[in-house]
Amino acid sequence: MTESNLKYTGGILHLDGCSLRKLAQEYGTPLYVYSADRIKSNYKSYDDAFRNTDKIICYSVKANFNGAVIKLLASLGAGADVLSEGELFMALRAGIDPKKIVFAGVGKNASEIRQAVRNGICMLNIEGEQELEAVGEIVKQEKKTLNIAFRINPDIDPKTHPKIATGLKESKFGIPIRRALEVYKRAKGMENIRIAGVHLHIGSQITDTLPFKLAAESAVGFADRLAEEGIEVEYIDIGGGLGIGYENDDVSSPYDFAKVLESYFRGRPQKLILEPGRSIVGNAGYLLTRVNYIKQGANKNFVVVDAGFNDLIRPAMYGAYHNIMPVEESDETITADVVGPICETGDVIAKDRGIRGAKQGNILAICDSGAYGFSMSSNYNSRLRAAEVLLEGGKPRLVRRRETYEDLIRTEETR
Ligand code: LLP
């Protein structure tokens, strides 16, 4: 959506005072551009909204793993939520304090678990009984104590896209809540394992606070049940953050979120952990793409741009809506599908949409692309991954160069 840090000046769209046309000319397209100011203010609104709650805000690295972005969040005091050894590596490299790192995921391998142990992270969030056994073996070999939580699956409907609902009983995540107590009891007797918390995550792009209220109720109730069994935990981790207003701004704010959660955490012995990703970086990022052609099909128009689903997969994968703004200000609108160059009919960024300023050679800004944009990009069709620019106080810094054909073959073994 149109953000306050976006403005047309002299007919050209500027972000934090910086011309997006100039950036497209200088760094080429497709190009990801992020506003550091916006990332900071998004982080700070969580920090401020939850100022009365003892908490750690663990930025979910999967949303955007650019080192400069993680470093910026580290400088604000953020922790990290990671899902793989790669994300753990990125978080540590960016200076995130390991004591503020939580690690979830249904398929952690031995090397990933070992790294969690060696780095003394805040909590490894275990998702199944066999994983607990694997962890038990590794801590024995490493002769080091590991803080753990179990991710419980509370069977709560988050009212979001089915592909990103994670806390329903049909989903692969977590341990069904009715079995969880047994697993905690099993872990209690294990050597080098310290039970530190309760974790859950019910889904992403949740714009209403009600599912979070149900999740908090479930987690807090479960922690009380654990206490009755003599298992006192230090943290309650309620998973990801809020959704963002891709299509309209009618979404809950961190303040609404805090109001709901505070009542559960007031006076409790546990610290709250939040793992927001999308709401920290999503609306801070734009994908700039050039219009290559306007093309008339048999019964519709196509705006063919130079970004494909290898650059931004969300519309193709979830039918997601991203607002599109012309970088060269224009009132001329055509109704069209905005499509990329990829060899698949599903390579669509917008469908049957009124697109302003879609002229050959013009630049379009695909809004709200800072989360799950570059981080889900690929080299499909041997396309080079885009460059990324971070605007710091409106000054551009190239934080990832565009790939080259050399990069495409760098890891091949051709003999
Ligand atoms: N914590 C855990 C354990 C997660 O699995 C996720 C996201 C998050 C935190 C961050 O959630 P957020 O605050 O960003 O909602 N690729 C999809 C989103 C997948 C989210 C998966 N898990 C998309 O583009 O919409």
Side-chain angles (χ1 to χ4, degrees), residues 113 117 134-146 190-193:
I113 296 166
V117 179
V135 169
E137 277 305 306
I138 291 167
V139 289
K140 209 185 287 167
Q141 291 157 11
E142 295 288 319
K143 299 186 181 58
K144 209 173 158 196
T145 300
L146 174 70
M190 287 170 70
E191 213 181 314
N192 286 349
I193 286 203

Side-chain angles (χ1 to χ4, degrees), residues 60 62 81 164 201 204 240-241 275-278 314 318 372 376:
S60 194
K62 56 181 76 68
D81 156 52
I164 53 177
H201 172 79
S204 191
E275 305 172 344
R278 189 191 312 265
R314 302 196 68 261
Y318 316 108
Y372 309 110
M376 294 181 82

Side-chain angles (χ1 to χ4, degrees), residues 46 206-212 241-245 249-258 260 279:
Y46 271 99
I206 302 169
T207 52
D208 177 33
T209 53
L210 180 65
F212 289 113
L242 292 160
I244 61 172
D249 287 324
D250 189 21
V251 297
S252 303
S253 73
Y255 295 92
D256 305 321
F257 194 22
V260 167
S279 47

Side-chain angles (χ1 to χ4, degrees), residues 46 58-63 81-83 102 104-105 125 127 151 161 163-164 166 173 199-206 212 237-243 246 274-281 313-314 317-318 320 322 371-373 375-376:
Y46 271 99
C58 294
Y59 165 63
S60 194
V61 171
K62 56 181 76 68
D81 156 52
V82 301
L83 175 106
V102 289
N125 298 336
E127 305 219 11
R151 176 171 178 169
H161 191 285
K163 280 189 185 158
I164 53 177
T166 53
F173 300 99
H199 176 229
L200 52 71
H201 172 79
I202 55 170
S204 191
Q205 186 51 19
I206 302 169
F212 289 113
D237 179 347
I238 61 114
L242 292 160
Y246 288 103
L274 299 166
E275 305 172 344
R278 189 191 312 265
S279 47
I280 302 289
V281 289
I313 204 168
R314 302 196 68 261
M317 191 148 171
Y318 316 108
H322 284 260
Y372 309 110
S375 72
M376 294 181 82

Side-chain angles (χ1 to χ4, degrees), residues 377-394:
S377 68
S378 77
N379 289 119
Y380 187 43
N381 281 181
S382 294
R383 284 168 52 81
L384 304 176
R385 262 176 295 196
E388 295 176 289
V389 163
L390 182 67
L391 294 178
E392 296 164 309

